[in-house]
Amino acid sequence: MPQQHEMFELPKLSLTVPGGLKEPRLWVRRLVIWEAPGGKIVRDIGLRPGLNIIWSPDGVDEEGAVASARAIGHGSGKTLFCRLLRYCLGEQRFADETQRESIAIALPNGIVGAEVMIDGVCWAVVRPLGIRRRHVAIADGNLEEIAAGDEATTSIDPLIEAIEQGIVTPGVANLARLPPGQKAWPIALAWLTRDQECRFDDVLDWRSPASGSDAPLPASGRETGPRREALRAFLMAITEEEQQSRRTEEVLRADVASAEREISNLEWDIGRRQKRLTDKLDLTALTLPEMPLLLQVLQKSADERLAAAAQLPTGDMAELGQARKVLRKASDELRHTEDEHNRIEAQIPGEKQVLTLISSEIPALSFSAENAASQVCPICEVPIDKALAEKCKLSHKLHNETECRARLASKRQEIEEQKQKISGLELRLKTLQPSIALGRQRVDQAEKQVQAIENVRDARAFAWQAATGLKEGVERFVELSVERDESRKRLRGLEDKLSKEREILAAFLEKQGLTFGIISRKFSAIIRRLVSDNSKGALTLTGKGLKLIVDIDGDRRTAAIDSLKVLAFDLACLCLSVEGSTRVPAFLVHDSPREADLGLSIYDELFQLMRELEEFTETPVFQYIVTTTTRPPNNLRRDPWLRLIFRGAPGSERLLQRDL
């Protein structure tokens, strides 16, 4: 489809410089690297307002080079140069940990310094590269003297505060909604000096974790929303009223989310309770109505269950007391009988043993009685008659036959009495058996009586407890239902407030359309200047970020175009900064944009454009620093635009004049 031509010629890029502005409000005049304080200067790089080119050529790109040259433009120190600039402007780190360690080994006492011009005042900045910990930033200071001397450490904070107060202005931190105590300049510095690792792939992509810059949020991170807000604050495209409205919108959004979670939890709890109540009230098989009639059905069923429980017998407590008394008496009698039975049962074996012992004496007594008439000497066992005839001198005492027979009779009597005692115990044992059986029967009957009465009492108590529990469950179900209805009502109110607040925010965005319209026009003019007269660009602010469009015979979406969009956007904002329409200085550093797949023809036009911007004023009122491995245009490959040439090899041609 043929492209529709514009009715009027599109305006070219223009600049309206505030009166009295003779130089950039912020620019870097020198960057110096020393091996040690007061020691040898490794590099002394002079910079200027306007275009500054740092070139690291491939061997074949230099004039007079032969095709066999093996030097490469990479690894020369271009990115380190950019990071040292950032370091002297207030960034916390100048490299990742590995590179910092390598530099500290090569230059243990190394320092880097810069002359930073802020509204015509020269700030001398000195910061360590190795093991030293001395950071100095002094207004109207002499860089050589400060670098060689041993003045007290001031930290880099005075420089940051001067930029914050004089250029960025204090209110930006609040507009950008930065954390308490965090300055806005480190965030703006991240935007104005993008990491090469970000590859110029997105307008809100400023710092890569791989750079080790330790840039504060929101200069980095996956969430781009905070960077969008910061960018708007820098571009004067946001007001305190809008931020207040945005804070209100965020609070309302959080309240809506909280109310939705609350309603979700209530609905889950209500559904769980409804199922349990319908099961316990035996309503599962019925077709139940919807709310609020369901509440009436549940309340009625619970009331009926409670009334039925109230009609159950309670169990006579007096009767229960009497039954327990009978049980205790029967248990006591049974226990006494069993105790006596056990005692007798344990006594009989002992009595039988006594009988055995007594009976064991009868044979000896019988033998003594039978031999009393013809006695034998108990000492020498000689018949008494012989002993008397021969006049034995050992024994003269004889057994009394009458006494022996008396003892035998007594022992037999004792045995008889023991047998009678054992017989009596065995008889008593037999007598107790029926008594025990009868006692156990009485105890069982008493226990059953007590259990029956207790069962009646417990059945009513359980039924009453279950019924009251169901009643309470229904009441809690009603409360939760009311609470859910109130939460839904509150949610509707919050959603209405949120909708109105979003309408207010949309109105604020429309009011900012003028600001973004100005940026968009400069963006489009830069696209036409870099690409062709029939191309154009557009920029719009959306709820998700900044939308950049490049139209070159249709909307283009390629890696090269994405890089072009970022470069053109940065340059458009640089132009606005020159005009005093932003809260950031007209200062920009682009580290090797050619390496982000930008086309060579467009790349050359980038240099020519910056040269043309210098001519809008008697002296340049911006500073643009660009590093490149690609040969700059012929007319700019000289002083004053070409500030320095690095090479990747040998080591003496690199930024630090050595291999690390």
Side-chain angles (χ1 to χ4, degrees):
M1 180 178 180
Q3 183 183 15
Q4 182 178 355
H5 296 284
E6 300 289 341
M7 183 176 295
F8 302 102
E9 182 180 358
L10 295 173
K12 295 183 178 181
L13 182 63
S14 62
L15 283 180
T16 304
V17 181
L21 187 64
K22 300 300 182 182
E23 66 176 14
R25 295 193 63 193
L26 181 148
W27 62 286
V28 180
R29 191 164 66 184
R30 288 174 69 199
L31 183 75
V32 187
I33 302 172
W34 290 271
E35 288 187 349
K40 177 184 175 182
I41 294 179
V42 178
R43 289 286 184 183
D44 189 346
I45 306 169
L47 301 170
R48 62 182 287 271
L51 173 63
N52 294 261
I53 302 173
I54 307 297
W55 184 27
S56 178
D58 285 331
V60 296
D61 281 341
E62 295 186 83
E63 292 181 2
V66 296
S68 61
R70 300 297 299 275
I72 61 173
H74 301 285
S76 61
K78 302 186 307 300
T79 296
L80 179 59
F81 166 78
C82 295
R83 290 179 179 175
L84 290 176
L85 277 177
R86 287 154 40 177
Y87 187 47
C88 290
L89 288 171
E91 195 152 274
Q92 294 300 313
R93 303 282 186 271
F94 62 86
D96 59 38
E97 185 175 356
T98 301
Q99 191 173 23
R100 291 201 309 271
E101 182 178 347
S102 299
I103 293 174
I105 292 173
L107 299 170
N109 295 304
I111 57 175
V112 61
E115 291 179 351
V116 181
M117 304 298 297
I118 301 177
D119 287 331
V121 177
C122 179
W123 281 75
V125 179
V126 174
R127 305 196 72 178
L129 296 176
I131 60 176
R132 298 172 62 87
R133 292 294 180 267
R134 182 169 170 262
H135 301 260
V136 181
I138 299 177
D140 290 321
N142 184 288
L143 182 61
E144 280 74 13
E145 292 178 358
I146 294 173
D150 196 21
E151 287 82 359
T153 297
T154 66
S155 82
I156 197 68
D157 292 342
L159 176 73
I160 296 176
E161 187 65 22
I163 300 173
E164 193 84 14
Q165 296 294 327
I167 299 178
V168 179
T169 70
V172 171
N174 188 46
L175 287 174
R177 302 175 67 184
L178 301 180
Q182 183 170 308
K183 301 293 186 181
W185 169 241
I187 311 302
L189 180 62
W191 166 34
L192 300 176
T193 59
R194 296 174 184 271
D195 273 342
Q196 185 194 47
E197 290 84 355
C198 293
R199 306 303 297 176
F200 295 87
D201 56 358
D202 187 90
V203 70
L204 294 176
D205 202 0
W206 302 342
R207 283 290 181 267
S208 168
S211 69
S213 63
D214 198 24
L217 293 174
S220 60
R222 298 178 62 183
E223 178 56 50
T224 60
R227 290 199 287 284
R228 181 185 68 240
E229 297 303 303
L231 187 64
R232 290 185 61 196
F234 296 142
L235 295 176
M236 300 172 64
I238 196 168
T239 63
E240 180 57 37
E241 291 77 11
E242 179 183 347
Q243 285 292 40
Q244 182 59 45
S245 180
R246 190 170 298 280
R247 283 189 284 269
T248 302
E249 187 265 348
E250 288 181 354
V251 171
L252 287 172
R253 185 153 35 89
D255 290 343
V256 166
S258 177
E260 289 175 344
R261 288 193 300 270
E262 181 181 352
I263 292 172
S264 177
N265 292 335
L266 285 172
E267 289 179 343
W268 175 83
D269 195 9
I270 288 172
R272 179 176 60 90
R273 290 175 181 271
Q274 178 178 335
K275 184 178 185 307
R276 187 167 62 237
L277 287 172
T278 53
D279 289 343
K280 291 185 176 181
L281 291 171
D282 299 328
L283 300 175
T284 307
L286 301 180
T287 301
L288 298 176
E290 299 294 330
M291 302 286 281
L293 294 178
L294 176 62
L295 298 179
Q296 298 177 7
V297 173
L298 294 176
Q299 287 174 325
K300 180 180 178 181
S301 180
D303 290 339
E304 291 174 351
R305 187 69 62 91
L306 190 62
Q311 299 299 320
L312 294 175
T314 60
D316 193 336
M317 295 305 297
E319 183 181 359
L320 179 60
Q322 182 62 33
R324 287 175 174 172
K325 183 178 180 181
V326 171
L327 175 60
R328 285 195 298 272
K329 181 179 179 181
S331 298
D332 290 343
E333 291 177 352
L334 175 61
R335 186 175 61 258
H336 290 318
T337 303
E338 288 179 337
D339 289 346
E340 183 181 1
H341 178 275
N342 293 336
R343 180 180 55 79
I344 293 173
E345 194 172 41
Q347 182 181 357
I348 287 176
E351 296 298 337
K352 288 183 177 181
Q353 187 175 5
V354 171
L355 177 60
T356 301
L357 291 175
I358 296 173
S359 299
S360 65
E361 297 178 13
I362 293 298
L365 292 175
S366 297
F367 179 76
S368 297
E370 292 296 332
N371 293 287
S374 179
Q375 299 185 26
V376 177
C377 177
I379 296 173
C380 60
E381 297 183 354
V382 176
I384 294 302
D385 292 341
K386 183 177 181 180
L388 289 174
E390 295 179 358
K391 297 180 189 261
C392 179
K393 304 299 183 180
L394 298 177
S395 176
H396 61 279
K397 294 182 180 181
L398 302 176
H399 292 288
N400 190 312
E401 182 181 358
T402 302
E403 291 178 359
C404 288
R405 294 195 179 278
R407 287 198 300 272
L408 177 60
S410 175
K411 185 60 65 176
R412 287 176 174 168
Q413 179 64 31
E414 186 178 351
I415 290 171
E416 187 61 30
E417 291 175 357
Q418 186 66 23
K419 288 181 178 180
Q420 290 179 0
K421 183 178 181 180
I422 292 173
S423 298
L425 291 172
E426 291 177 342
L427 180 60
R428 178 59 181 164
L429 197 63
K430 293 180 180 179
T431 304
L432 290 174
Q433 293 292 344
S435 299
I436 291 173
L438 182 59
R440 287 175 177 169
Q441 184 177 2
R442 290 172 179 170
V443 168
D444 290 342
Q445 291 175 350
E447 286 178 345
K448 290 178 180 179
Q449 180 66 18
V450 170
Q451 187 65 46
I453 299 173
E454 288 180 344
N455 288 343
V456 171
R457 181 201 60 183
D458 293 345
R460 186 187 187 281
F462 178 78
W464 179 261
Q465 183 179 6
T468 54
L470 287 172
K471 179 66 175 176
E472 293 173 355
V474 171
E475 291 175 352
R476 179 58 182 158
F477 182 79
V478 173
E479 291 174 359
L480 290 174
S481 300
V482 173
E483 185 178 350
R484 179 187 59 184
D485 294 341
E486 292 176 351
S487 296
R488 286 175 173 173
K489 182 179 179 181
R490 184 167 64 89
L491 175 61
R492 287 193 293 270
L494 289 172
E495 289 175 338
D496 290 342
K497 291 181 180 179
L498 180 60
S499 178
K500 292 178 181 178
E501 204 63 42
R502 285 174 174 169
E503 290 176 0
I504 295 173
L505 284 175
F508 277 121
L509 291 178
E510 289 180 4
K511 290 181 181 179
Q512 300 304 329
L514 177 61
T515 300
F516 281 96
I518 295 172
I519 302 174
S520 184
R521 286 193 291 274
K522 290 194 180 297
F523 175 76
S524 184
I526 290 172
I527 291 296
R528 286 193 300 277
R529 175 62 186 80
L530 294 178
V531 183
S532 64
D533 290 338
N534 65 339
S535 61
K536 59 183 178 179
L539 182 152
T540 57
L541 176 68
T542 68
K544 295 182 179 180
L546 293 174
K547 184 178 181 181
L548 305 179
I549 299 174
V550 171
D551 189 335
I552 307 173
D553 297 326
D555 187 10
R556 299 294 183 94
R557 301 174 186 270
T558 65
I561 294 299
D562 288 340
S563 298
L564 174 63
K565 290 176 182 178
V566 174
L567 290 172
F569 173 81
D570 286 351
L571 296 178
C573 294
L574 179 71
C575 293
L576 289 177
S577 297
V578 169
E579 296 177 343
S581 299
T582 72
R583 293 187 175 92
V584 292
F587 174 83
L588 197 60
V589 177
H590 279 160
D591 184 11
S592 301
R594 177 69 180 88
E595 295 181 4
D597 297 324
L598 196 63
L600 184 58
S601 60
I602 297 176
Y603 189 74
D604 283 344
E605 291 301 322
L606 169 65
F607 289 92
Q608 299 295 350
L609 170 62
M610 301 313 297
R611 173 67 183 88
E612 292 171 9
L613 288 178
E614 291 184 0
E615 298 175 352
F616 277 90
T617 54
E618 183 177 350
T619 58
V621 290
F622 67 91
Q623 186 173 47
Y624 179 70
I625 301 171
V626 58
T627 68
T628 178
T629 57
T630 301
R631 179 188 300 178
N634 293 334
N635 64 319
L636 299 177
R637 203 162 57 252
R638 58 187 175 87
D639 191 68
W641 301 283
L642 183 59
R643 305 308 303 168
L644 190 66
I645 295 178
F646 299 150
R647 294 177 179 85
S652 59
E653 295 294 312
R654 300 176 71 183
L655 174 65
L656 298 182
Q657 296 183 347
R658 68 201 68 204
D659 293 324
L660 298 177

